[in-house]
Amino acid sequence: MLSLSISRTALRSAAAPRQFAVAATSARYASTKTLTEAVSEIVPAKREQFAKLKSEYADCSLGDSKVSHLIGGMRGLKCMLWEGSVLDAEEGITFHGKSIPECQASLPSAADIGRPGKEMLPESMLWLLLTGKVPSAEEVKGLSQDLSSRGKLPNYIEKIIDSFPKTLHPMTQFSAAVSALNHDSKFAAAYNAGVKKTEYWHTTLEDSLDLIAKLPAIAARIYYNVFGKGDGKQTINPDMDLIENMSHMMGYGKSEGLVDYLRLYIAVHGDHEGGNVSAHTAHLVGSALSDPYLSYAAALNGLAGPLHGLANQEVLNWALEFEKAVGSNPSDQQIVDYLWSTLKSGRVVPGYGHAVLRKPDPRFTALSHFTDSRPELQESPIVQLVQRLSKIAPSVLKEHGKTKNPYPNVDAASGCVLYTYGLDEFKFYTVIFGVSRALGALPQLVFDRILGLPIERPKSLSMDALMASLKK
Ligand SMILES: CC(C)(COP(=O)(O)OP(=O)(O)OC[C@H]1O[C@@H](n2cnc3c(N)ncnc32)[C@H](O)[C@@H]1OP(=O)(O)O)[C@@H](O)C(=O)NCCC(=O)NCCS
């Protein structure tokens, strides 16, 4: 077995096929690593740990599954390996053990790579999710430049997006365009050429980086076609980071506040362990050795559901309806009455509750701190209303007594900031979420290939079979 101390040169020549070694050096500083080299370094340790789990712990009980797992959406059932992040009901999400504030303190920001802005970069989060390590500013800059060099859309994808009717939901356009990119999948080509199983992760990583790099341009082209904003050209400036480029393509490049907010939003939405619908879908479809494009397109279709990624547009709609009815400065009692009227009409209060979390969502807290730091947001009536709702809603939801978590989730805060900065097309909000979720779902596909995880095939039972087995 390879040890962790093996030299980088040896690793490159022994493990990486030639064409990837060449690609990996395209954006490199003399004293730093490329992401591919950093991932190469962790492969032996990951495999060793997995082999130990298999050989020494396979028979350990995690508690038997129950009927409630079969009929209750498998809630709480520990049956999935996910490397990038773990969600604790009380503490919230940690990325390789780092909380959001710890990530904000340690991950390189826009300013660290010489760009305007203070927030941590999604590129830094991607590096952390893939390697478990905090990258240096130079490494992040190299990765950012690498992504820029991969970001241009092929002409056939532009034509496919341009052929969609404007009335087709942006998320449907997004997933269709991502699916079609599998035309160029390096993983599919390598698989067809008979590449060894242990090498699958290289091309999975290559496809993942290509896809993450292209998501902003796909999103911007859809935004231009449907809402007419941006210049429709998707020009990529190699000096800019991923989100700065996306913001420019969408026509918001000069809005320094929005660019920085998008960096934070996309970094904190990147991963939320594996069981959520989008992440789980990417992993499930990928387990059939479908390439990263097909796997992530499937994830986007799950993200488009109203109980998952679409909730952020629902929150804003609901708050704006309230503002329209009572004005922008309602009394506390009017807020309480509005919450009760929503609950009594049998609807959920959007932006509150969570399937796992039992405390306020730290992603909500991070976005709220951003809001507190910007005078232009503090002055926004809709931001003020959403903040007041977040202070009053938990006590109403507690009194209502149904939801296990009466606190705000990330969707309670995210939309009102986009809206205040002029990005007011609600239907597009889930596309931005979709640009982000790739940061977590695609690295897990790389881990799946590093570890050679098998095709997912849980056992299902009919109700008759279940009843019969219970009677035995
Ligand atoms: C996120 C969500 C889907 C989690 O669902 P869950 O795991 O079933 O949540 P719970 O176990 O707490 O649900 C228990 C009950 O409380 C209700 N409940 C949960 N959140 C609620 C909310 N925000 N408002 C009113 N009722 C709520 C559920 O509908 C359920 O009612 P039921 O017994 O009549 O079916 C749910 O909280 C919700 O619908 N929230 C609003 C939508 C939202 O913000 N989604 C984004 C999540 S990041």
Side-chain angles (χ1 to χ4, degrees), residues 75 307 311 343 347-355 397 402-405 409 411:
R75 217 49 67 80
L307 289 187
L343 291 167
R347 288 181 291 161
V348 294
V349 174
Y352 292 80
H354 198 272
L397 284 165
K402 260 190 167 183
T403 174
K404 295 188 187 77
N405 174 6
N409 60 53
D411 294 319

Side-chain angles (χ1 to χ4, degrees), residues 102 130 137 147 194 263 273 309-310 337 357 359 363 431 449:
E102 286 166 348
L130 261 164
L147 292 176
R263 289 184 182 119
E273 74 170 31
L310 220 67
D337 292 346
L357 279 169
K359 284 278 165 65
R363 298 172 301 173
V431 173
R449 303 286 178 264

Side-chain angles (χ1 to χ4, degrees), residues 1-6 11 38-53 83 131 133 201 447 450-451:
M1 179 166 298
L2 293 171
S3 90
L4 264 179
S5 60
I6 194 165
L11 253 180
V39 175
S40 297
E41 284 187 358
I42 64 165
V43 168
K46 284 280 170 201
R47 286 184 174 155
E48 194 177 332
Q49 188 186 10
F50 187 66
K52 188 175 165 93
L53 267 174
E83 284 297 283
T131 67
K133 310 225 166 64
W201 72 265
F447 287 123
I450 288 173
L451 303 175

Side-chain angles (χ1 to χ4, degrees), residues 103-177:
C103 288
Q104 287 177 294
S106 62
L107 289 181
S109 67
D112 291 330
I113 66 158
R115 301 308 305 165
K118 291 190 262 189
E119 297 300 329
M120 63 176 157
L121 289 167
E123 290 93 323
S124 307
M125 180 58 81
L126 172 63
W127 189 292
L128 174 68
L129 287 169
L130 261 164
T131 67
K133 310 225 166 64
V134 172
S136 67
E138 287 73 23
E139 285 167 335
V140 171
K141 189 157 187 176
L143 173 59
S144 203
Q145 289 173 341
D146 185 18
L147 292 176
S148 294
S149 72
R150 298 168 187 255
K152 190 170 162 33
L153 295 183
N155 191 249
Y156 72 91
I157 291 291
E158 292 180 347
K159 282 193 185 146
I160 287 173
I161 297 172
D162 294 349
S163 74
F164 293 138
K166 282 185 180 186
T167 46
L168 188 62
H169 195 285
M171 280 303 282
T172 316
Q173 299 194 31
F174 201 29
S175 85

Side-chain angles (χ1 to χ4, degrees), residues 92-340:
I93 193 71
T94 49
F95 306 96
H96 285 281
K98 287 193 181 310
S99 67
I100 288 176
E102 286 166 348
C103 288
Q104 287 177 294
S106 62
L107 289 181
S109 67
D112 291 330
I113 66 158
R115 301 308 305 165
K118 291 190 262 189
E119 297 300 329
M120 63 176 157
L121 289 167
E123 290 93 323
S124 307
M125 180 58 81
L126 172 63
W127 189 292
L128 174 68
L129 287 169
L130 261 164
T131 67
K133 310 225 166 64
V134 172
S136 67
E138 287 73 23
E139 285 167 335
V140 171
K141 189 157 187 176
L143 173 59
S144 203
Q145 289 173 341
D146 185 18
L147 292 176
S148 294
S149 72
R150 298 168 187 255
K152 190 170 162 33
L153 295 183
N155 191 249
Y156 72 91
I157 291 291
E158 292 180 347
K159 282 193 185 146
I160 287 173
I161 297 172
D162 294 349
S163 74
F164 293 138
K166 282 185 180 186
T167 46
L168 188 62
H169 195 285
M171 280 303 282
T172 316
Q173 299 194 31
F174 201 29
S175 85
V178 169
S179 256
L181 268 172
N182 99 311
H183 178 272
D184 300 328
S185 169
K186 292 168 183 162
F187 172 79
Y191 182 84
N192 290 335
V195 160
K196 273 198 307 190
K197 213 174 164 181
T198 49
E199 300 302 332
Y200 286 170
W201 72 265
H202 285 285
T203 41
T204 302
L205 176 57
E206 285 295 311
D207 278 355
S208 298
L209 294 176
D210 283 342
L211 177 53
I212 289 167
K214 286 180 173 57
L215 289 174
I218 299 174
R221 196 160 188 102
I222 295 168
Y223 192 59
Y224 175 76
N225 285 350
V226 176
F227 303 109
K229 289 189 179 169
D231 64 6
K233 292 204 178 89
Q234 291 86 57
T235 312
I236 294 167
N237 181 336
D239 293 331
M240 291 182 184
D241 60 84
L242 189 73
I243 301 311
E244 201 180 358
N245 264 315
M246 180 170 101
S247 308
H248 273 276
M249 291 179 215
M250 289 173 59
Y252 296 99
K254 296 205 169 86
S255 176
E256 169 258 325
L258 179 60
V259 177
D260 228 16
Y261 177 71
L262 284 173
R263 289 184 182 119
L264 175 65
Y265 175 104
I266 287 172
V268 301
H269 278 77
D271 204 28
H272 215 226
E273 74 170 31
N276 64 80
V277 170
S278 52
H280 188 186
T281 304
H283 173 73
L284 169 67
V285 175
S287 82
L289 293 187
S290 302
D291 63 61
Y293 301 102
L294 296 179
S295 306
Y296 196 60
L300 289 172
N301 289 331
L303 196 67
L307 289 187
H308 190 20
L310 220 67
N312 53 15
Q313 77 177 52
E314 311 266 320
V315 176
L316 196 56
N317 257 328
W318 174 79
L320 286 170
E321 264 174 35
F322 180 38
E323 194 189 36
K324 206 164 140 195
V326 299
S328 57
N329 193 18
S331 66
D332 284 2
Q333 190 55 49
Q334 281 176 309
I335 293 179
V336 170
D337 292 346
Y338 186 58
L339 287 159
W340 276 114

